[in-house]
Amino acid sequence: MLDETLLDSPEGLAEADRRGLLRGAAEAGARVRTAARHAAEAGVGGLEPDGRPRAVLIAGPGAAATHTADLLGTLAGPGSPVVRLAPTGVAPAAGALRWELPGWAGSVDLLLIATPDGTEPSLSLLAEQAYRRGVSVVAVAPADTPLAEAVSGAHGVFVPMATAPYDQEEPLAASSPGVFWALLTPLLALLDRVGLLSAPPEALEKVADRLDEIAERCGPAIVAYSNPAKTIAAELADALPVVWTEGASAGPAGRRFAAALAELAGHPAVVAELPEALAAHGALLAGPLAASADPDDFFRDRVEEPPALHARVVLLRDRPLGGLTAAPAARDLALSHDTPISELEPEEGGELETLAELIAVTDFAAVYLALASGA
């Protein structure tokens, strides 16, 4: 059950935030600036690539690497050469995970390693394997870790991860906002340099500024009725989030939101892109999860009986209403089944800025839901 009184108690939220999730979300803009500076100091801006790589292979543990690969692949556009190397192993532990280069990887390819740990033996072996194959290696990880030594030995580029002192107090959640931006930013700068996407220093500064604006608008001191992240968290308390996205760059934001709800708040969610989402989730909204599916709920004892789980659509859009859009059809479908709908659309700006806003607001929402539900 969600403790809605906690949402409007900054002191209570701070006390419940044992994993530093709110701090990570609030400091996302600062992480971007620090990470961009680390990338510059590591020499990313001075690289002179011979051309675009044939393939960009991304390896790393957990949701942070998955979301990074998803977002970079989306920004690279149609025909993206970005490929995530999924690990194998018997457990999600540093010593148990294994990564392997595909057999075709060679000197025209680029390996990116992104990890908030850096002690994974298999990632160090992967860097060495890449060196033997002639694959260029770039890694983002905490400084003074075995991976840093392995990348140096492989004549690769190592970028120290932008960390904060409290990161060492508790294990880092892979979906933590601070971890995500610390790993993503140097790779954006790198892929801008090799011509795979556009993320020049001025664009990264605008991303940091937009993240600062969202932190002010969605911070713990802002009351729920004027705080979009707290509003979404409260609306999803007793609901199954059905996350629909519209626009190419909204897709990664929706998938990250669903993953963050599961990992941080223990809250299941389903996600799909419009217009296909209308067919994919039409039966779900017409089934027992629809608000109209339980006519006896009106007579339920609000004290003794828990509420029935019903779907709630969360529509994330990265383009204005004036263009070609399936949003009206989405609203009609949801409301025809008495399913409430929440909508989130960023303010105008570049693609990176608008995507950063969608990610930041939904990150805050997942964190508030986690803290107020005691996850």
Side-chain angles (χ1 to χ4, degrees):
M1 296 293 292
L2 185 80
D3 182 1
E4 293 197 32
T5 61
L6 187 62
L7 289 178
D8 282 333
S9 171
E11 297 80 9
L13 288 169
E15 184 177 349
D17 189 20
R18 296 182 297 275
R19 293 177 286 178
L21 298 176
L22 268 180
R23 287 179 292 184
E27 296 173 3
R31 294 270 188 150
V32 168
R33 294 186 183 92
T34 302
R37 186 177 71 251
H38 286 182
E41 292 171 351
V44 169
L47 294 176
E48 297 182 0
D50 295 331
R52 289 177 51 159
R54 175 184 63 179
V56 177
L57 309 171
I58 299 183
T66 301
H67 300 156
T68 296
D70 187 13
L71 190 144
L72 293 177
T74 298
L75 292 175
S80 166
V82 176
V83 178
R84 181 179 180 246
L85 300 181
T88 58
V90 297
L97 294 172
R98 299 288 183 271
W99 287 266
E100 292 287 342
L101 285 177
W104 48 261
S107 59
V108 293
D109 302 313
L110 172 64
L111 172 64
L112 306 180
I113 300 176
T115 172
D117 189 331
T119 65
E120 301 92 343
S122 185
L123 286 180
S124 296
L125 292 174
L126 186 69
E128 296 170 5
Q129 182 187 21
Y131 175 62
R132 293 194 299 270
R133 297 254 206 107
V135 179
S136 300
V137 182
V138 178
V140 183
D144 302 321
T145 56
L147 180 61
E149 298 179 11
V151 172
S152 177
H155 301 283
V157 176
F158 180 80
V159 181
M161 177 181 165
T163 58
Y166 60 82
D167 285 345
Q168 311 306 320
E169 298 173 6
E170 293 288 341
L172 294 174
S175 291
S176 166
V179 170
F180 175 71
W181 290 108
L183 294 179
L184 175 67
T185 303
L187 300 184
L188 286 171
L190 173 74
L191 295 188
D192 172 77
R193 190 66 186 170
V194 302
L196 196 63
L197 51 80
S198 178
E202 56 270 21
L204 295 179
E205 184 61 33
K206 289 181 179 179
V207 167
D209 291 342
R210 182 68 65 97
L211 291 172
D212 287 344
E213 293 171 10
I214 299 303
E216 292 179 4
R217 195 194 316 166
C218 297
I222 307 301
V223 294
Y225 67 82
S226 59
N227 186 321
K230 287 183 178 180
T231 299
I232 292 174
E235 291 171 343
L236 296 181
D238 299 315
L240 172 69
V242 179
V243 182
W244 290 346
T245 67
E246 184 170 55
S249 59
R255 291 185 285 273
R256 174 172 168 78
F257 185 33
L261 287 172
E263 182 182 356
L264 303 182
H267 212 79
V270 294
V271 59
E273 297 186 19
L274 293 176
E276 290 88 352
L278 303 181
H281 293 160
L284 185 152
L285 297 187
L289 292 174
S292 59
D294 186 10
D296 295 329
D297 185 67
F298 180 80
F299 301 100
R300 174 176 57 86
D301 187 324
R302 268 30 185 192
V303 176
E304 299 294 334
E305 299 178 45
L309 182 66
H310 294 307
R312 184 181 188 99
V313 171
V314 181
L315 177 58
L316 307 181
R317 305 182 67 244
D318 69 350
R319 58 189 179 194
L321 288 170
L324 184 65
T325 174
R331 298 185 192 102
D332 290 344
L333 177 62
L335 297 178
S336 68
H337 295 295
D338 293 332
T339 300
I341 183 169
S342 305
E343 297 190 41
L344 184 62
E345 183 178 333
E347 296 179 2
E348 292 185 2
E351 184 178 25
L352 276 176
E353 290 176 79
T354 57
L355 180 54
E357 179 172 337
L358 287 175
I359 291 174
V361 175
T362 52
D363 275 351
F364 266 107
V367 169
Y368 284 129
L369 187 58
L371 299 181
S373 59

